[in-house]
Amino acid sequence: MLQVFPDVKGRFGDFGGKYVPETLMGPLQELEEELTKAMGDPDFVQEYHNVLKEYAGRPTSLSFADQMTEHLGGAKIYLKREDLNHTGAHKMNNAIGQGLLAKRMGKKKIIAETGAGQHGVASATVAAKFGLECQVYMGEEDIRRQELNVFRMKLLGAKVIPVSSGNGTLKDATNEAIRYWVANCEDHFYLIGSVVGPHPYPKMVRDFQRVIGDESKQQFLEVETNMPDRIYACVGGGSNAMGMFYPFLEGSPELIGVEAAGKGIDTPEHAATLTKGNPGVIHGSLTYLMQDENGQITEPYSISAGLDYPGIGPEHAHLFQTKRVRYESITDQEALDALKLLTEQEGIIPAIESAHALAQAFKEAGEMSSDQTILINLSGRGDKDMSTLMEHFQEEK
Amino acid sequence: MLTKTSFQGKLTKTDDLFIPFIVAGDPSPELTIEFALRLQEAGADVLELGIPYSDPLADGPTIQRAAKRALKNDMSLTKAIKLVPQLRRAGVEIPVVIFTYFNPVLQLGYQRFFELLDENGAEGVLIPDLPYEESEEIRKLAADRNVEFISLVAPNSDTRIKQIAEDAKGFLYCVSTLGVTGERNDMSADVLTFIKKVKEHSSVPVAVGFGISTNQHVKLVREHADGVIIGSKIIRLIEDKLEELENGAEAEALDRFYQEVHELVK
């Protein structure tokens, strides 16, 4: 039996906790209490599942990738299709959960941060649906890379606030969102988009995302006799991976988290937090992060705006330390190659984030036997990445 | 080796304290010493020496800019602590509190951090993202080394105020308002009620910070609290003189800084 994490202090083994300015301790305590009450209230849980079903379109499919399987000639490849979720990514599961919680707590305004824009779009969507005001912090570089998602957020009625500090990416957007929350914590709900941040966020986001793994378990047994041999998911902050892995932690599948190696882990341009980082505090939580010898947080890089985060969820740090999950890293080029391959073989254009998981799985599938199975979490669709892809593939021509 | 004196022993008074904040290395390590001297002349009772950090969650734009300038000068936690004996040699006698975010301390290692504070004669430490619940080990190490671990309370600390205030060392830092550091035009009347509540439980001087930007603010806070902490306003007074400092008008800039600080806290 696995020990239950997080513990009362919000720790996953050595990681997690609450490293925040004193001003946020009260709001976090309030959130913790309200979350516990809500998750213990069958009406709240039922409402969450109803909205997932009727509004977000769950359960998402489990697709057998027959062409890919034939192409690679090894293990049978299955895809969990989070790209079919409303707004095109797994982010919606968590946004619905936290949106309902905000409403239950009587908060009328939500703040969110976003990298690739998927969490911003999901937050703006639930804000529209639940009648909440929404402002989304987004780095200027990400605004440039994700023009389409910025437009979607605005169309949904959200205010997008550009952040110019640092590299103008997710880390900086998160800093600004937290600073705004410190000043406005009395009437704002901070809707964090990944399994990061101070307790109880990593636990809360995991619990709202575990629907991915729960569904997968059930769906897999309908088509196969055993659980998958290996399960792959990409990891930035790590919410799609945590949602997929969590229900399988006590089971037999080998779990593989895939980080962004950017231009290579031996270059300074990557976002491979576990592979190359070390323990430290970022955005309110003790976890692995990319930093220099003086403890200054360094700027990550990935072609994917959703993966260039210098930290990682504290539960992943724990799973890495205890070796329950194997973490690998995939370069920009390997991810783009996998994206192209899946698109051509299966008619599915994945998000660049998800393509990292695909690339690692494709590397390994061919070496496995045909009676083995693998499951890849396809965390989102590639529509948002079109301009990046056009730039890249046109250059290749 | 410098003679280490305890924080309280070095405080010449327990009320009407003026506690300025500057960032080590902003705009240069040498000028940090000069600004500290002028602050002492202007009546500073304690110096908060800020460690520049890449991701300061409790700070507004002014302090973020100062941190950025200092990081460009390659300032670090270790270098800043080693600046303390230089401050002493230059004539700074008031207690020095190292103000740092938690991650640089974690990277340096708790033991090494306190060894360095001890060896270099820093009297206190303040870590804004290390709340009471996470600070047990650090508080113990601080006590063992005779370094004061300064605690913070916020207007929404509510039921936590009693415990934090009762365990406070050195002085208790009252955050005047919800929000990050930065100059503000008005001070809320609620601050006064909050200060009163904190003082009921505190056995050390209660000093108020965040947003104190004018002589009126200083006077108002003085009526109710034991001290004022001024950061962003002082940083901006330094920032205003960057051009002069670069153009060799150092003496004039430092004189004017002294005058402005004097006006602010008189």
Side-chain angles (χ1 to χ4, degrees):
Chain A
M1 181 72 187
L2 280 175
Q3 203 183 330
V4 177
F5 290 115
D7 63 16
V8 285
K9 284 186 85 180
R11 290 191 176 272
F12 303 88
D14 292 341
F15 304 100
K18 287 179 191 160
Y19 296 90
V20 291
E22 173 61 26
T23 312
L24 291 182
M25 290 303 281
L28 286 172
Q29 205 172 346
E30 184 198 1
L31 177 63
E32 209 174 326
E33 285 162 13
E34 293 298 325
L35 176 69
T36 307
K37 278 189 220 156
M39 295 306 254
D41 176 355
D43 290 343
F44 177 82
V45 176
Q46 188 60 51
E47 191 183 3
Y48 163 67
H49 284 288
N50 284 346
V51 180
L52 286 183
K53 184 179 168 209
E54 290 165 15
Y55 184 68
R58 299 204 75 89
T60 57
S61 309
L62 180 81
S63 302
F64 175 48
D66 56 338
Q67 295 274 107
M68 270 310 307
T69 301
E70 201 185 320
H71 180 81
L72 294 172
K76 286 166 85 174
I77 300 170
Y78 287 89
L79 305 171
K80 177 60 174 166
R81 300 289 305 281
E82 289 304 295
D83 59 318
L84 298 178
N85 211 2
H86 179 45
T87 73
H90 70 290
K91 295 288 184 188
M92 199 59 183
N93 310 326
N94 169 52
I96 288 173
Q98 289 195 49
L100 286 172
L101 186 63
K103 243 177 81 172
R104 183 186 160 105
M105 288 170 71
K107 309 268 182 185
K108 303 256 186 278
K109 299 170 183 173
I110 58 172
I111 319 159
E113 81 297 317
T114 197
Q118 287 303 95
H119 174 59
V121 169
S123 301
T125 302
V126 300
K129 177 69 180 162
F130 300 154
L132 307 166
E133 266 181 49
C134 176
Q135 57 186 40
V136 182
Y137 287 81
M138 190 168 184
E140 281 181 344
E141 170 60 16
D142 287 339
I143 287 179
R144 188 190 66 76
R145 290 194 284 190
Q146 300 293 340
E147 202 182 348
L148 183 64
N149 268 344
V150 174
F151 180 70
R152 288 166 84 192
M153 283 182 258
K154 288 180 178 167
L155 195 61
L156 286 158
K159 195 170 159 194
V160 178
I161 299 164
V163 175
S164 59
S165 56
N167 265 10
T169 60
L170 181 57
K171 167 180 90 97
D172 314 298
T174 308
N175 285 340
E176 281 311 314
I178 295 177
R179 288 182 190 123
Y180 183 85
W181 190 38
V182 172
N184 298 280
C185 51
E186 282 179 327
D187 59 345
H188 283 64
F189 185 99
Y190 181 18
L191 209 166
I192 293 186
S194 195
V195 284
V196 300
H199 179 64
Y201 279 99
K203 171 192 155 55
M204 174 166 67
V205 178
R206 175 197 76 193
D207 290 348
F208 286 136
Q209 289 291 5
R210 67 170 291 171
V211 64
I212 304 171
D214 285 335
E215 275 177 19
S216 297
K217 241 179 170 175
Q218 203 183 345
Q219 289 169 324
F220 210 83
L221 284 183
E222 285 166 13
V223 289
E224 290 285 341
T225 47
N226 292 314
M227 283 293 141
D229 291 290
R230 294 182 193 174
I231 302 177
Y232 299 83
C234 65
V235 181
S239 70
N240 89 83
M242 217 46 247
M244 173 58 101
F245 294 165
Y246 187 61
F248 289 98
L249 283 179
E250 284 186 61
S252 59
E254 188 185 1
L255 306 173
I256 301 109
V258 186
E259 303 189 305
K263 293 183 180 170
I265 51 166
D266 296 324
T267 73
E269 291 179 282
H270 62 77
T273 313
L274 289 172
T275 314
K276 299 290 279 190
N278 52 333
V281 166
I282 182 169
H283 298 143
S285 169
L286 179 59
T287 184
Y288 269 71
L289 63 124
M290 290 166 53
Q291 55 188 320
D292 68 14
E293 68 280 9
N294 293 318
Q296 307 289 344
I297 297 171
T298 53
E299 301 288 349
Y301 164 82
S302 164
I303 190 170
S304 163
L307 296 183
D308 61 356
Y309 182 66
I312 192 166
E315 191 161 13
H316 283 292
H318 172 65
L319 295 170
F320 171 72
Q321 198 184 52
T322 55
K323 297 193 166 57
R324 174 60 189 96
V325 176
R326 166 160 66 94
Y327 291 88
E328 303 283 355
S329 59
I330 283 290
T331 64
D332 289 352
Q333 191 58 51
E334 289 173 316
L336 289 167
D337 292 346
L339 181 146
K340 198 149 186 278
L341 190 59
L342 187 81
T343 304
E344 288 169 357
Q345 295 290 329
E346 295 290 340
I348 298 169
I349 308 177
I352 302 177
E353 290 92 323
S354 318
H356 286 73
L358 293 164
Q360 185 64 34
F362 294 168
K363 266 190 189 176
E364 299 179 18
E367 292 160 9
M368 293 168 72
S369 67
S370 59
D371 59 350
Q372 287 186 296
T373 54
I374 64 175
L375 170 63
I376 307 163
N377 195 26
L378 210 147
S379 59
R381 61 182 176 232
D383 302 30
K384 70 182 170 63
D385 293 322
M386 279 309 137
S387 63
T388 308
L389 295 174
M390 276 167 73
E391 234 172 75
H392 181 82
F393 288 119
Q394 270 165 4
E395 270 173 24
E396 262 195 354
K397 270 186 181 175
Chain B
M1 179 109 175
L2 290 157
T3 316
K4 195 163 68 65
T5 46
S6 80
F7 186 94
Q8 295 295 350
K10 269 191 147 187
L11 275 182
T12 51
K13 53 190 197 254
T14 53
D15 62 1
D16 203 13
L17 300 172
F18 165 40
I19 308 173
F21 167 95
I22 52 175
V23 174
D26 171 38
S28 69
E30 297 72 30
L31 283 165
T32 299
I33 297 170
E34 293 299 328
F35 282 114
L37 279 168
R38 299 309 184 280
L39 288 166
Q40 180 173 265
E41 267 175 63
D45 299 287
V46 177
L47 178 71
E48 268 188 30
L49 188 62
I51 308 303
Y53 186 52
S54 56
D55 297 77
L57 290 185
D59 287 312
T62 311
I63 293 177
Q64 286 178 47
R65 285 197 300 273
K68 220 171 171 176
R69 289 192 292 269
L71 285 173
K72 270 192 188 154
N73 291 329
D74 214 21
M75 186 47 68
S76 66
L77 178 57
T78 311
K79 285 182 185 169
I81 298 172
K82 289 183 176 169
L83 207 56
V84 178
Q86 295 182 45
L87 286 165
R88 300 289 183 229
R89 280 195 291 274
V92 174
E93 290 170 348
I94 54 175
V96 176
V97 171
I98 298 292
F99 180 111
T100 177
Y101 283 86
F102 185 48
N103 197 45
V105 177
L106 205 56
Q107 297 320 305
L108 187 60
Y110 295 171
Q111 293 292 350
R112 181 74 190 124
F113 177 57
F114 282 101
E115 267 169 34
L116 274 175
L117 292 178
D118 199 353
E119 283 167 13
N120 291 283
E123 284 88 352
V125 59
L126 195 158
I127 308 178
D129 59 345
L130 194 68
Y132 187 82
E133 287 79 350
E134 303 284 1
S135 65
E136 197 182 331
E137 196 180 345
I138 283 250
R139 273 185 282 133
K140 197 181 165 303
L141 283 167
D144 290 348
R145 289 279 183 173
N146 205 14
V147 171
E148 306 284 32
F149 182 83
I150 311 295
S151 302
L152 292 99
V153 280
N156 61 352
S157 293
D158 208 21
T159 51
R160 301 158 50 79
I161 289 176
K162 188 170 181 284
Q163 187 164 34
I164 297 173
E166 282 175 356
D167 282 355
K169 299 277 186 286
F171 64 90
L172 182 57
Y173 193 132
C174 257
V175 175
S176 72
T177 175
L178 300 182
V180 293
T181 59
E183 294 170 62
R184 287 175 181 82
N185 293 330
D186 304 310
M187 290 214 73
S188 151
D190 296 345
V191 178
L192 309 178
T193 326
F194 167 54
I195 298 169
K196 201 174 156 203
K197 190 173 171 189
V198 175
K199 277 187 68 95
E200 277 170 22
H201 299 289
S202 180
S203 57
V204 292
V206 171
V208 176
F210 279 46
I212 295 173
S213 328
T214 66
N215 182 250
Q216 285 76 17
H217 292 163
V218 172
K219 282 181 173 151
L220 181 68
V221 169
R222 266 187 189 147
E223 282 172 27
H224 302 271
D226 307 310
V228 288
I229 303 160
I230 311 181
S232 294
K233 174 73 183 182
I234 285 176
I235 300 286
R236 203 170 56 76
L237 293 177
I238 294 175
E239 199 170 58
D240 286 347
K241 293 163 190 65
L242 290 179
E243 222 179 285
E244 281 170 83
L245 292 168
E246 271 173 26
N247 295 335
E250 202 176 295
E252 295 87 333
L254 289 166
D255 281 350
R256 201 149 51 81
F257 175 76
Y258 164 78
Q259 283 301 336
E260 287 163 342
V261 175
H262 180 71
E263 289 295 311
L264 183 65
V265 296
K266 70 179 178 187

